[in-house]
Amino acid sequence: MALLEVEDLSMAFADKKLYDDASFQLNKGEHMGIVGQNGVGKSTLIKVLTGDQLPLSGQITWQKGIHVGYLDQYADIPDGMTLIDFLHTAFQDLYDQNDRMTQLYTEYAETADDKLLERAGRIQEILEANNFYDIETEIERIITGLGLDDIGRDHEVAQMSGGQRSKIILAKLLLQHPDVILLDEPTNYLDVGHIAWLIDYLNDFDGAAMIISHDYDFLDQVTNCIINVAFGKIIKYRGSFKQAMRQRAEREEVQRKEYEKQQVKIEKTQKFIAKFKAGTRSKQAKSREKQLSHMELVDPPSSNIQANFNFPYADTGSQNALVVDQLSVGYNRPLLKPVTFSVNTGEKVGFEGFNGW
Ligand SMILES: Nc1ncnc2c1ncn2[C@@H]1O[C@H](COP(=O)(O)OP(=O)(O)OP(=O)(O)O)[C@@H](O)[C@H]1O
Ligand SMILES: [Mg+2]
């Protein structure tokens, strides 16, 4: 049985249709890339799958009992919680069980009631089965992999930059070892070294995954099938990312030919109608008109729509576009030593650095 079965899913916001009667499955072992142009509804699809958004119609069926983990960047994190405490909350259930066990042992010491000992033993088995005694090692592995020490274990989550926050939410999600992991553009806030770590992590991850990304190089390394969201349809392609993209291109080529053929037919019919509508062949023209109105239209293939920008510049006659002199930046205290630099007209400057630095 599939881990996830999506049947006849339709979704729209106001009058914007996202998908119509879309069906696909996620199977065990699949690491699925989700691709499509901006605004086609990829993030919305994940929200529908997690139940955060209600679809217009259709069925979403997750296999019973599986744990689905979603990278929720807007998760509520209590004020004052530090990075290390936050990571420990991934195992809150086990810590609660552990407390319960300690309490049972204390009660046993007072009452010598064997039943308490039995109950404590059962909890002990659960803790062992869930690798409770390896939690600290596991947390260290993630801290090293994602470079969380650079943020600081006692740093308060509430005071973190957007990238840092996303990073620790990802860390917690990975610690929870869900059966299925849902990631929406995970590389957006990771620096190069940590993307490499995430690639290794996902390749070793034996659960299923659905990953939205516009970074094809990343998807190529972590996926074994894709779904393409375009023109109200969701189509699944199997195989390596490159094979899947080739199949998508072939399919789009067939669609492009069908589309062009249909456009020629429509034009011909419209000309016929215009020419004979009022004349002796008006009946025929009417019948063609009917035919046209019932025609199932082929969508144009989703060739990448190229954006065009045109900024009309006026020459200011000045060399310096920006001059920054001894600038201090920060919140309660400066984050950097005072910075001095200038940008000349025509220069394009990139800013780089670790998350939150
Ligand atoms: N809560 C909402 N209410 C109304 N419209 C929404 C809502 N969320 C998303 N939309 C609209 O639905 C469309 C799909 O949005 P979505 O965020 O799913 O796109 P996406 O495929 O993830 O795009 P991107 O690649 O840019 O992240 C967009 O037109 C967006 O404006
Ligand atoms: Mg999105």
Side-chain angles (χ1 to χ4, degrees):
M1 191 203 157
L3 294 175
L4 165 69
E5 174 102 41
V6 174
E7 289 165 288
D8 305 324
L9 177 66
S10 297
M11 183 65 187
F13 284 117
D15 56 351
K16 186 178 163 78
K17 183 180 90 176
L18 296 181
Y19 2 91
D20 209 8
D21 278 343
S23 301
F24 70 91
Q25 291 184 334
L26 174 76
N27 296 309
K28 208 164 177 274
E30 282 185 333
H31 287 189
M32 177 186 277
I34 304 178
V35 299
Q37 290 176 11
N38 293 121
V40 291
K42 302 181 295 299
S43 299
T44 304
L45 176 64
I46 290 220
K47 287 183 196 142
V48 168
L49 298 182
T50 55
D52 287 341
Q53 284 277 1
L54 273 182
L56 282 187
S57 60
Q59 286 88 46
I60 311 285
T61 319
W62 288 101
Q63 199 182 85
K64 271 211 176 70
I66 61 166
H67 175 204
V68 181
Y70 165 49
L71 186 92
D72 179 6
Q73 297 183 24
Y74 304 101
D76 251 342
I77 302 175
D79 272 351
M81 187 173 268
T82 63
L83 187 156
I84 195 76
D85 289 345
F86 178 71
L87 293 186
H88 278 100
T89 61
F91 305 100
Q92 198 56 53
D93 282 0
L94 297 179
Y95 281 110
D96 290 348
Q97 298 258 31
N98 188 52
D99 289 348
R100 177 85 193 111
M101 186 176 74
T102 314
Q103 195 190 341
L104 287 169
Y105 281 131
T106 314
E107 283 172 28
Y108 173 74
E110 287 162 9
T111 63
D113 180 351
D114 282 345
K115 274 200 192 113
L116 297 172
L117 209 55
E118 254 175 56
R119 268 156 63 192
R122 277 201 296 276
I123 296 181
Q124 177 93 41
E125 280 168 21
I126 294 173
L127 292 178
E128 278 168 17
N130 286 283
N131 301 323
F132 179 71
Y133 301 100
D134 295 332
I135 285 179
E136 295 307 321
T137 323
E138 183 83 341
I139 288 181
E140 283 312 310
R141 197 167 69 88
I142 296 272
I143 286 183
T144 313
L146 287 174
L148 302 184
D149 265 332
D150 290 342
I151 301 175
R153 293 170 191 232
D154 296 323
H155 200 100
E156 266 189 45
V157 181
Q159 290 174 6
M160 288 183 186
S161 74
Q164 289 175 327
R165 191 184 149 88
S166 304
K167 218 169 187 177
I168 62 148
I169 295 173
L170 172 66
K172 177 177 167 184
L173 175 63
L174 300 182
L175 282 170
Q176 287 172 319
H177 270 286
D179 303 303
V180 182
I181 207 167
L182 307 178
L183 301 174
D184 192 346
E185 306 203 29
T187 62
N188 273 7
Y189 46 82
L190 294 178
D191 27 66
V192 184
H194 303 132
I195 292 177
W197 180 86
L198 182 62
I199 290 172
D200 285 345
Y201 182 94
L202 289 172
N203 283 324
D204 287 344
F205 179 62
D206 54 9
M210 295 178 76
I211 308 159
I212 299 177
S213 182
H214 292 281
D215 180 344
Y216 284 7
D217 189 42
F218 171 72
L219 285 181
D220 186 33
Q221 296 180 71
V222 297
T223 60
N224 53 21
C225 62
I226 65 167
I227 55 170
N228 182 48
V229 186
F231 286 103
K233 294 196 177 71
I234 300 179
I235 295 170
K236 181 171 174 182
Y237 300 93
R238 289 184 179 76
S240 74
F241 184 74
K242 287 201 174 101
Q243 284 167 347
M245 293 304 270
R246 238 191 331 270
Q247 289 169 45
R248 184 181 82 163
E250 282 164 10
R251 191 189 169 101
E252 284 185 353
E253 182 56 20
V254 171
Q255 192 182 337
R256 191 181 60 77
K257 283 192 178 135
E258 273 175 25
Y259 171 75
E260 284 171 1
K261 212 166 113 187
Q262 189 180 54
Q263 288 302 308
V264 171
K265 188 169 177 194
I266 290 174
E267 207 177 310
K268 248 182 163 169
T269 315
Q270 279 169 339
K271 274 189 187 150
F272 183 92
I273 296 167
K275 194 167 172 190
F276 297 113
K277 210 171 178 177
T280 46
R281 296 168 75 183
S282 70
K283 259 197 186 142
Q284 259 170 298
K286 262 233 154 61
S287 130
R288 298 269 173 108
E289 212 164 25
K290 216 170 184 178
Q291 230 178 36
L292 205 57
S293 69
H294 287 135
M295 191 181 269
E296 202 164 305
L297 293 178
V298 179
D299 288 316
S302 63
S303 58
N304 273 326
I305 300 162
Q306 294 294 333
N308 266 313
F309 294 102
N310 179 25
F311 298 114
Y313 289 109
D315 189 356
T316 58
S318 156
Q319 258 296 95
N320 285 332
L322 172 71
V323 177
V324 173
D325 187 19
Q326 294 286 312
L327 181 71
S328 272
V329 211
Y331 295 92
N332 303 322
R333 56 184 173 81
L335 287 166
L336 307 165
K337 287 187 185 143
V339 281
T340 298
F341 66 93
S342 61
V343 181
N344 290 333
T345 312
E347 278 180 345
K348 297 179 180 73
V349 181
F351 281 54
E352 62 162 18
F354 288 111
N355 295 115
W357 279 42

